[in-house]
Amino acid sequence: MNQHLRQDLKNENQRRGFAPGMDLTEGDVVRDDVELLLPNNGSSPVQAGQRTVFLSNIDQTVAFPVETVFFYEASPEQTRDVAARLKRAVSALISGDYAFMAGRLAFSVSSSRLELLCNDGGVPFAAASSPLALCRLAPLSAPNPSFHRLLLRTDLSPTVVFTVQVTRFSCGGFCVGFVTNHCVLDGKSAVEMFAAIAAACRGEEPKPRGICNDRSCLKARDPPKIEFDHDEYAAPAAPPALSAGLQYRVFPFSSAAIKQLKRCAAGAGAGESSTFEVLVAHVWRARTRAVFGRRREDKSAVVFAVDVRARMAPPLPAGFVGNAVAAAAASAAAREVMDRGLGFCVERVKAAIARVTDAYVRSAIDWLELNRGLPATGGGGFFVSAWWKLPFHELDFGLGRPFYSGPVASPMEEFVLLLRGGADDPDQAGVNVWIMLDHDNMLRLTEYIADF
């Protein structure tokens, strides 16, 4: 039992206040009429014959909205025109290289796959206000599903790929809520697009940067050639029923705790490990112990994304904006994950990452061409998404960096998020681990997460 880490987790939860904050109600956020921002490019694709963007098989596996909010402190005088500034910046963005973000998703019956229509459909945009001071929402770092009121969700228009909402609070502080569809942009590409919007808000001239939205470099081969097993994907299945009493919890790992995990892994024979490797391995083992119980012979798996931009031969084009990530999976019998310790799990994670070569990615794309699969998160498996590596904390719309940024909590039991900790120094920031489980499994996980 690691008493040091247990106390560290307890102290961090108390210091940062990870208990859920207040729930936003309908009256707490008053939204103006939603506007549709249209490209001003002088030549509408609708008039000239709309252009269709091919979405790769990797894109097809992640067709869901990604919701992100950015919170800023400011005075009322500084933010009187903040919504207008964002509106101008987004309009300029979609009138240039990012015109495809004003498009719409469509399903092609002939090819049985999603496509992106560059039809100038527009980007829904809303300005909103709140009678609350921003401090009333604290702690912002705690998962709060009611923050969906700070976004323009795409539920009613599922073909929309990008929405923006700017909410101004009574204190002058504000937040920007972005919704993007993952099948159009991966995390790295989304951050780069947000940074372009922020630069325009700061009045900076756009930096020359080519956007590559041609995803044909990730097309399946004809005929498909499957050369590896691909346990990281599985055939589509009906969405699992949500368990009763699901709850979120944040497990904060300080830089000291992460160093201790690395020492434990090295002492167990895993050698030098990255922060990502030891955290994924540790969470995988703790979650397996909590969820699998007596199902010791069942396979336990953790799936995660690996950036393949530089792993392909040749490397993907500069400015590539599609999903340049491949799923990788570490798996073993639950009893091995439980009993063989952190070092064993780290080695499995490292081996999964090492498998992701050009040949492996091409084989996975071909497997998806034939099987139309999705990341394999059923049967107790789960997906880890490493948000902490993305520089969301640097996004400055002209009034400084956000004092908090992150995803909006959604009821997805099969996803674990790794988010950046609170310190300004990246080496000292640590990582916050968001996990959702039912009540009983969460009680067990809370015990096991401090045991290695």
Side-chain angles (χ1 to χ4, degrees):
M1 190 70 63
N2 193 312
Q3 296 297 334
H4 175 75
L5 180 57
R6 183 181 303 282
Q7 189 61 43
D8 182 57
L9 291 172
K10 180 179 178 181
N11 291 343
E12 286 293 293
N13 272 289
Q14 290 174 344
R15 182 175 67 83
R16 298 185 188 179
F18 285 121
M22 71 173 292
D23 285 340
L24 289 174
T25 65
E26 185 175 357
D28 292 330
V29 179
V30 181
R31 184 183 294 151
D32 295 345
D33 290 340
V34 176
E35 300 179 66
L36 203 57
L37 305 186
L38 300 173
N40 182 21
N41 52 22
S43 176
S44 170
V46 175
Q47 298 170 357
Q50 62 191 19
R51 185 168 64 90
T52 300
V53 174
F54 165 81
L55 298 178
S56 75
N57 288 342
I58 298 176
D59 294 328
Q60 305 280 330
T61 68
V62 287
F64 55 82
V66 179
E67 302 173 336
T68 316
V69 287
F70 300 82
F71 293 92
Y72 298 84
E73 292 179 302
S75 68
E77 294 74 21
Q78 292 175 305
T79 59
R80 292 189 191 282
D81 66 341
V82 66
R85 273 185 276 164
L86 261 295
K87 179 180 172 181
R88 288 193 297 269
V90 173
S91 295
L93 178 95
I94 61 174
S95 297
D97 289 339
Y98 287 94
F100 61 92
M101 293 304 295
R104 295 291 184 267
L105 292 176
F107 184 78
S108 169
V109 176
S110 61
S111 63
S112 297
R113 57 189 302 127
L114 282 175
E115 299 174 335
L116 176 61
L117 303 182
C118 296
N119 62 357
D120 285 356
V123 173
F125 179 96
S129 61
S130 173
L132 302 175
L134 192 49
C135 62
R136 290 283 305 280
L137 276 60
L140 296 173
S141 51
N144 191 330
S146 75
F147 282 1
H148 74 85
R149 299 187 184 279
L150 305 174
L151 302 159
L152 274 180
R153 282 191 160 170
T154 58
D155 298 357
L156 298 178
S157 301
T159 62
V160 169
V161 299
F162 184 31
T163 76
V164 184
Q165 179 172 315
V166 182
T167 305
R168 186 167 175 262
F169 297 89
S170 61
C171 59
F174 69 101
C175 76
V176 182
F178 291 120
V179 181
T180 58
N181 196 294
H182 205 319
C183 73
V184 179
L185 299 174
D186 67 6
K188 183 177 185 296
S189 300
V191 170
E192 291 173 350
M193 183 184 74
F194 298 160
I197 296 172
C201 284
R202 296 194 303 270
E204 297 177 7
E205 289 294 325
K207 297 178 181 179
R209 181 179 179 274
I211 297 296
C212 178
N213 198 24
D214 180 359
R215 300 150 195 246
S216 59
C217 55
L218 293 179
K219 271 190 174 180
R221 293 170 290 195
D222 186 13
K225 185 179 180 182
I226 301 172
E227 301 173 284
F228 301 89
D229 292 330
H230 292 287
D231 293 341
E232 68 275 18
Y233 294 111
L242 290 178
S243 304
L246 284 175
Q247 56 185 243
Y248 263 109
R249 181 156 182 202
V250 180
F251 295 96
F253 286 80
S254 66
S255 58
I258 292 170
K259 289 176 183 176
Q260 188 175 352
L261 275 173
K262 291 179 178 179
R263 287 193 294 268
C264 289
E272 185 175 347
S273 305
S274 70
T275 297
F276 178 80
E277 290 163 351
V278 294
L279 278 178
V280 169
H282 178 57
V283 171
W284 176 30
R285 182 167 181 260
R287 194 180 184 281
T288 299
R289 295 173 72 188
V291 171
F292 277 76
R294 296 181 180 178
R295 296 187 291 129
R296 291 175 56 81
E297 298 306 317
D298 288 1
K299 185 178 79 170
S300 173
V302 56
V303 185
F304 46 87
V306 176
D307 191 311
V308 300
R309 285 171 171 82
R311 291 173 178 254
M312 306 303 290
L316 296 184
F320 184 82
V321 296
N323 281 275
V325 290
S331 63
R335 59 175 171 77
E336 291 187 291
V337 178
M338 296 179 195
D339 299 343
R340 296 189 61 178
L342 180 63
F344 169 80
C345 294
V346 169
E347 288 176 343
R348 286 298 175 106
V349 171
K350 288 182 176 180
I353 296 172
R355 279 197 298 272
V356 182
T357 62
D358 177 81
Y360 190 86
V361 175
R362 299 290 177 192
S363 175
I365 291 171
D366 290 355
W367 187 96
L368 291 168
E369 182 75 9
L370 297 177
N371 296 280
R372 305 295 197 214
L374 297 172
T377 57
F382 65 105
F383 194 99
V384 176
S385 185
W387 282 53
W388 110 85
K389 293 185 175 184
L390 301 172
F392 287 125
H393 61 285
E394 297 178 0
L395 206 62
D396 176 4
F397 292 103
L399 295 169
R401 294 182 176 185
F403 68 90
Y404 178 74
S405 62
V408 173
S410 297
M412 296 197 298
E413 188 177 4
E414 293 80 22
F415 277 77
V416 170
L417 301 181
L418 307 182
L419 306 177
R420 190 173 184 272
D424 291 333
D425 183 350
D427 293 331
Q428 302 299 321
V431 178
N432 292 338
V433 181
W434 279 23
I435 298 179
M436 172 177 268
L437 285 173
D438 65 60
H439 178 267
D440 291 344
N441 283 337
M442 185 65 81
L443 284 179
R444 289 189 286 270
L445 180 69
T446 301
E447 180 73 16
Y448 296 140
I449 203 83
D451 185 8
F452 60 90

